[in-house]
Amino acid sequence: MLDQNIKTQLKAYLERLESPIELVAALDESDKAAQIKELVTEIAELSDNVTARFDGNNTRRPSFGVAKAGEQPRVFFAGLPMGHEFTSLILALLQVSGYAPKVSDEVLNQIKGLNLKANFDVFVSLSCHNCPDVVQALNLIAIYNPNTTATMIDGSFFQDEVEQRRIMAVPMVFQDNEHIGQGRMTLEEIVAKLDTNSAEKDAATLNAKDAFDVLVIGGGPAGATAAIYAARKGINTGIVAERFGGQVMDTMDIENFTSVQKTQGPKFAAEMEAHVREYDVDIMNLQRVSKITGANQTANGLVEVELENGAKLESKTVILSTGARWREMNVPGEAEYRTRGVAYCPHCDGPLFKGKRVAVIGGGNSGVEAAIDLAGIVEHVTLVEFDTKLRADQVLQNKLHSLPNTTVIMNALSTEVLGDGSQVTGLKYKDRATDEEHVVELAGIFVQIGLLPNTDFLKDSEVELTNRGEIIVNDRNETNVQGVFAAGDCTTVPYKQIIIATGDGAKASLSAFDYIIRSGQ
């Protein structure tokens, strides 16, 4: 099951166990159970502090639980936690033994204070790069709440249950069999969802903060870089982020960031956040901004930022770096069948459509790459493009056309997502040349048609936007509002790339510092 290299690494991790642990397997006669038995046995052979038992009473079989010796398991793996989930397994082994998690004291105390009595199930695919964060978060909650369990369920192991629950997107989270969320969620987001008083407590804490010199809104590459550059000047710096990492968290492979030959989005984002935390930056995560008031309109000459929870922050300067999000088709049925056949992440959700027919909307690089990836998993991929030609790089087009289970439909306007009330059954489109309508029968639709700037909260503000919603900036990243700067994919800067966003963030921060000096604030 585990090659020698992985065994060597795992053995080194197991030397960090704080106390003995048990792996308790609940098996049946299936081949999958034999695989779990092999994995559990191999792990136990690597450390005297790990024992294996095969008398588990978990009703979901095959599976295994991790427990401190003498206790009942609360962390379960229904499937083989390999691929992206191997890290989840390692952390579970360590943290169940008493190894301290790498989270702030504030978050850990909030977890302990939940006093939950619940059973969490999270459905994953092993190719999903967003799933481990959710699995690890729920495991940690179970470890510190004695009446709570957390179970990772590999959809490929339990396909009947996946069909029964109509799971078409991962990660998908259930609390006591009630659906409570899907998609990537951080530990802080999950804890905030479970802690019913968190919004009020956050607002009180935020309202008590002193005015900042530079307040960055957005935690993507532009925002993180802006915060680092400001903090290095020794000035009071804060960063408000709805989700630290931003769109990078949904990016699989990054191969064009100078000096980093290849990495993955979540890893890049984690290292980016760690870099910010090396400096004295007040990070206010899970916060959404609702309103900006420029310095020229406030009594004290400071920019005012109002959050959705009612809190207000003040700063001498503000840098808007809210990034962008996936563009939606905006056709009937799309919203109704989101996570029930309509998806936006082929890496995450593609394995759930194994052996089925799907469509990809969009003929740019993202769309063609998605179609190529999906063709190796699903029965057939239909790529639907609005234009009369594909816009992807030629090397990608050549690869797509070489695949036997793909069809490309061009000059087509997608008009409706069809379904049976529970899940997607097809896509309706119009031939733009003839106005004829057609229906493609399929089980999934992956939307890959570009980005929209996250600037909806600015539409009624004094900040000037283009008709596409991009923030208009000059060559110094200044907006038309005194004390307000902007950087990254939410602005008019051409070419939406990570490396351009980071440079833009640095430039905006230096401009904000220059503004503070020249204005004498």
Side-chain angles (χ1 to χ4, degrees):
M1 177 63 66
L2 302 176
D3 64 34
Q4 191 55 49
N5 183 45
I6 291 178
K7 285 184 178 180
T8 301
Q9 294 180 42
L10 185 53
K11 184 178 178 66
Y13 281 117
L14 293 176
E15 290 174 359
R16 304 180 190 179
L17 292 174
E18 293 288 328
S19 62
I21 62 173
E22 291 183 324
L23 304 181
V24 184
L27 305 177
D28 53 26
E29 301 302 319
S30 67
D31 291 339
K32 294 172 181 176
Q35 291 177 303
I36 285 182
K37 184 175 182 178
E38 183 181 356
L39 175 63
V40 167
T41 301
E42 289 184 358
I43 295 172
E45 290 173 347
L46 296 175
S47 173
D48 293 337
N49 281 322
V50 182
T51 56
R53 289 171 33 208
F54 302 99
D55 58 353
N57 56 12
N58 195 341
T59 56
R60 185 179 282 107
R61 296 168 182 265
S63 65
F64 70 96
V66 185
K68 189 176 287 188
E71 297 183 2
Q72 291 296 314
R74 298 199 296 276
V75 173
F76 295 92
F77 294 93
L80 291 171
M82 306 302 288
H84 289 298
E85 292 299 344
F86 192 63
T87 301
S88 301
L89 172 62
I90 292 173
L91 289 176
L93 298 173
L94 293 174
Q95 291 168 358
V96 166
S97 81
Y99 190 87
K102 291 184 178 180
V103 300
S104 68
D105 291 340
E106 180 184 0
V107 171
L108 190 56
N109 288 333
Q110 193 176 5
I111 291 172
K112 294 176 180 177
L114 290 173
N115 294 319
L116 276 178
K117 183 177 181 181
N119 297 304
F120 293 102
D121 292 331
V122 52
F123 285 82
V124 307
S125 66
L126 299 185
S127 62
C128 169
H129 58 282
N130 290 328
C131 293
D133 283 347
V134 178
V135 172
Q136 292 161 26
L138 293 173
N139 287 350
L140 200 58
I141 290 169
I143 289 168
Y144 286 96
N145 285 265
N147 295 312
T148 294
T149 67
T151 304
M152 181 216 83
I153 305 170
D154 179 358
S156 66
F157 258 57
F158 294 89
Q159 291 180 338
D160 289 345
E161 191 171 357
V162 166
E163 293 289 339
Q164 180 185 355
R165 296 204 192 193
R166 301 190 183 278
I167 292 166
M168 293 186 164
V170 290
M172 184 77 74
V173 182
F174 294 84
Q175 179 180 352
D176 298 326
N177 293 319
E178 293 292 327
H179 174 253
I180 64 167
Q182 73 276 329
R184 185 189 175 275
M185 294 180 282
T186 65
L187 172 62
E188 290 84 355
E189 287 174 306
I190 294 172
V191 172
K193 182 186 288 282
L194 298 173
D195 185 352
T196 55
N197 297 318
S198 62
E200 292 79 2
K201 289 185 288 188
D202 282 351
T205 301
L206 293 166
N207 278 326
K209 292 183 181 292
D210 293 332
F212 293 94
D213 293 310
V214 173
L215 180 61
V216 181
I217 299 174
T225 307
I228 290 170
Y229 268 71
R232 285 174 61 86
K233 295 294 185 182
I235 57 180
N236 186 14
T237 304
I239 182 167
V240 173
E242 184 176 350
R243 179 179 71 153
F244 208 102
Q247 188 193 338
V248 169
M249 294 299 299
D250 301 321
T251 303
M252 193 58 181
D253 292 330
I254 299 170
E255 298 177 327
N256 56 358
F257 194 89
T258 309
S259 83
V260 180
Q261 292 186 18
K262 185 173 182 177
T263 187
Q264 292 183 325
K267 181 181 178 183
F268 185 92
E271 291 173 348
M272 187 170 64
E273 181 175 356
H275 195 171
V276 174
R277 291 187 183 278
E278 286 292 313
Y279 296 93
D280 188 17
V281 176
D282 187 347
I283 298 176
M284 294 158 276
N285 208 1
L286 306 184
Q287 304 299 333
R288 185 193 288 262
V289 173
S290 60
K291 185 179 179 182
I292 299 284
T293 304
N296 57 324
Q297 291 194 357
T298 60
N300 56 9
L302 297 175
V303 182
E304 184 179 270
V305 175
E306 187 172 338
L307 307 181
E308 283 198 349
N309 62 12
K312 292 183 179 180
L313 301 170
E314 293 181 325
S315 183
K316 295 176 183 177
T317 61
V318 163
I319 298 174
L320 301 170
S321 55
T322 49
R325 65 189 183 276
W326 290 115
R327 184 187 298 272
E328 299 177 354
M329 293 187 291
N330 291 319
V331 300
E334 180 180 19
E336 180 183 355
Y337 290 105
R338 187 175 291 119
T339 76
R340 293 191 292 165
V342 175
Y344 302 86
C345 180
H347 299 291
C348 300
D349 300 332
L352 298 173
F353 295 87
K354 184 176 181 179
K356 299 179 180 179
R357 302 178 72 87
V358 303
V360 172
I361 312 299
N365 282 350
S366 296
V368 174
E369 286 175 350
I372 292 170
D373 289 344
L374 289 165
I377 302 171
V378 305
E379 177 187 339
H380 188 272
V381 181
T382 301
L383 187 144
V384 180
E385 165 57 34
F386 180 82
D387 204 348
T388 55
K389 61 183 178 180
L390 299 180
R391 292 164 285 109
D393 295 342
Q394 191 61 48
V395 64
L396 293 175
Q397 293 189 43
N398 294 343
K399 175 64 176 177
L400 176 66
H401 291 308
S402 74
L403 299 173
N405 61 333
T406 63
T407 300
V408 177
I409 300 174
M410 290 185 285
N411 206 20
L413 173 65
S414 301
T415 57
E416 186 177 358
V417 173
L418 305 175
D420 61 7
S422 298
Q423 61 191 47
V424 167
T425 59
L427 173 72
K428 182 182 290 187
Y429 72 91
K430 179 187 292 186
D431 185 320
R432 295 176 60 221
T434 64
D435 279 342
E436 289 184 48
E437 286 198 330
H438 303 271
V439 171
V440 182
E441 293 184 359
L442 39 77
I445 299 170
F446 290 83
V447 184
Q448 302 281 291
I449 53 176
L451 302 170
L452 283 175
N454 293 319
T455 57
D456 292 347
F457 70 102
L458 295 172
K459 287 182 178 175
D460 294 324
S461 75
E462 54 186 322
V463 177
E464 189 176 358
L465 307 175
T466 67
N467 57 6
R468 294 179 56 194
E470 295 175 326
I471 302 169
I472 298 174
V473 293
N474 61 16
D475 59 357
R476 295 174 62 86
N477 290 84
E478 296 170 319
T479 71
N480 64 306
V481 178
Q482 182 182 340
V484 178
F485 302 79
D489 287 5
C490 64
T491 73
T492 49
V493 64
Y495 313 119
K496 313 302 187 186
Q497 298 288 312
I498 295 173
I499 199 164
I500 292 174
T502 55
D504 231 27
K507 189 151 57 101
S509 191
L510 294 173
S511 294
F513 181 69
D514 185 64
Y515 168 85
I516 291 171
I517 294 173
R518 292 180 183 277
S519 63
Q521 293 198 41

